[in-house]
Amino acid sequence: MRPGGEERALLLRLAQGPVTGVALAGELGVTRAAVWKRIAALRDAGIPIQAHVRDGYALTQPLDLLDADAIRAALPVPLRTQVAALDLLWSIDSSNSELLRRPTPARGCAVLLAERQTGGRGRRGRLWASPLAAHVYLSLARGFRGGLARLAGLSLAAGVAACEALHAQGFGAVRLKWPNDLVVARGGTLHKLGGLLVEGGGEAAGLSRAVLGIGVNVRMPTRVAAAIDQPWIDLAGLAPNPPARNRLVAELLAHLLPALDVFESAGLEPFLERYAQWDALAGREVVVCEDAQRWNARALGIAVDGALRVRAGSGCERRVHAGDVSVRA
């Protein structure tokens, strides 16, 4: 059986309706103790499963598994040829790390999706909560002309594309928080919906390659949510019936692929006005953590090179190229 096959088979059986441990043991050819262990492992992975004395085990929400054929079919026809490879993995340490281990296509891009990440990460090596069959974990590998310096604004351009894809799905409250977060403002606080991470390498003035990772919270399991130490939100918290993950992935790719073509030919400049439209920080009082320093400022928007423009307490304008920024309470 392929990796994750046992988990997938058990999930698909539970999706059919409540089933007793005795019936599951007979169907799977294992002991009831083995069934209990597998159910416990699924719960630990973030799958909400109830147990009833009479009816047995049951999922508490619909199962929404990824399907490569469904994603391709939902893509606009002209874009399908740009996806040289579209792979799905049941479980991986990090979809970005896996694409970095693979060769990048000579033409087009490679897309990798995972049902679960065991070592998903954000900026500065932070862990990214990646429960099973709950969110979107999408990585895309692509070559770029123009050298490594051109890639500096890639996460901002990709953020614009991801934000607009979510708007197209009806989530018009989504905004961008420099440098790479998708957020929604609630009660004056920015709640994280997703994030982007760009990794790669190449020549200083020649060909380079980038692996772009996008994570979007779709339906956060309660058990996983309890361990998150920052304000967050998911699509299920914004709409009672969030889009199917296959539809969401296709929408993200439909916006991202053309945006990457524009970025390769023209850089960040064509995205500046659109970024400003969705900028969650512009005009806000913020706290900037840069290297070992921490200081207050007012965010003014992003510069042409992708840096964050801020006005410090002295009244002078500064540009922040790397660091963390949080909105002041």
Side-chain angles (χ1 to χ4, degrees):
M1 184 174 289
R2 64 182 181 179
E6 292 182 351
E7 283 186 327
R8 183 182 178 89
L10 179 53
L11 274 176
L12 290 173
R13 177 60 186 87
L14 291 172
Q16 296 174 19
V19 58
T20 66
V22 173
L24 275 176
E27 293 177 21
L28 301 176
V30 298
T31 65
R32 290 186 64 185
V35 168
W36 182 86
K37 289 181 179 179
R38 293 184 185 182
I39 293 292
L42 286 177
R43 286 172 171 159
D44 288 341
I47 301 295
I49 301 172
Q50 290 184 341
H52 303 275
V53 174
R54 183 182 63 184
D55 298 327
Y57 299 108
L59 297 176
T60 62
Q61 64 187 36
L63 184 63
D64 180 19
L65 295 180
L66 295 171
D67 183 283
D69 291 337
I71 293 169
R72 280 192 178 274
L75 278 176
V77 173
L79 296 181
R80 295 176 190 174
T81 57
Q82 294 189 32
V83 182
L86 197 164
D87 295 331
L88 303 180
L89 296 179
W90 186 256
S91 184
I92 190 68
D93 56 348
S94 160
S95 53
N96 261 30
S97 295
E98 177 60 20
L99 279 188
L100 286 170
R101 292 188 285 260
R102 299 182 181 185
T104 300
R107 299 185 63 182
C109 65
V111 175
L112 179 65
L113 295 140
E115 290 287 4
R116 169 176 55 201
Q117 292 186 122
T118 58
R121 62 193 189 279
R123 290 183 69 244
R124 302 193 168 205
R126 294 189 180 97
L127 292 178
W128 178 270
S130 306
L132 179 64
H135 306 322
V136 166
Y137 321 119
L138 183 158
S139 291
L140 182 151
R142 186 189 190 279
F144 287 88
R145 299 184 303 272
L148 287 175
R150 172 61 67 84
L151 299 183
L154 178 56
S155 67
L156 302 181
V160 170
C163 183
E164 292 176 348
L166 289 164
H167 290 181
Q169 286 291 303
F171 299 99
V174 179
R175 297 293 182 265
L176 294 163
K177 175 181 175 289
W178 185 92
N180 59 359
D181 286 344
L182 299 163
V183 298
V184 174
R186 287 287 174 90
T189 300
L190 298 182
H191 291 67
K192 187 167 181 175
L193 174 69
L196 300 96
L197 178 65
V198 175
E199 301 175 280
E203 302 173 9
L207 293 176
S208 59
R209 72 154 178 166
V211 173
L212 170 65
I214 300 178
V216 179
N217 298 333
V218 178
R219 197 184 293 271
M220 184 74 74
T222 303
R223 181 175 297 195
V224 177
I228 300 176
D229 61 358
Q230 63 176 309
W232 63 271
I233 199 166
D234 58 9
L235 296 183
L238 296 172
N241 296 303
R245 291 189 300 149
N246 291 317
R247 175 65 254 177
L248 181 58
V249 169
E251 191 77 65
L252 287 167
L253 291 174
H255 284 74
L256 188 61
L257 294 175
L260 295 181
D261 289 341
V262 172
F263 181 82
E264 182 178 34
S265 62
L268 183 59
E269 195 277 334
F271 300 92
L272 293 174
E273 184 175 344
R274 290 151 65 189
Y275 191 100
Q277 186 177 1
W278 313 125
D279 191 344
L281 293 182
R284 286 180 178 259
E285 297 292 329
V286 298
V287 179
V288 180
C289 299
E290 187 180 21
D291 298 325
Q293 297 181 328
R294 180 182 175 92
W295 40 280
N296 297 330
R298 178 180 292 274
L300 304 176
I302 62 170
V304 293
D305 62 351
L308 177 67
R309 298 171 49 239
V310 299
R311 190 175 305 283
S314 61
C316 63
E317 181 176 320
R318 297 175 59 175
R319 293 190 178 187
V320 181
H321 291 87
D324 285 338
V325 177
S326 59
V327 175
R328 290 177 59 187

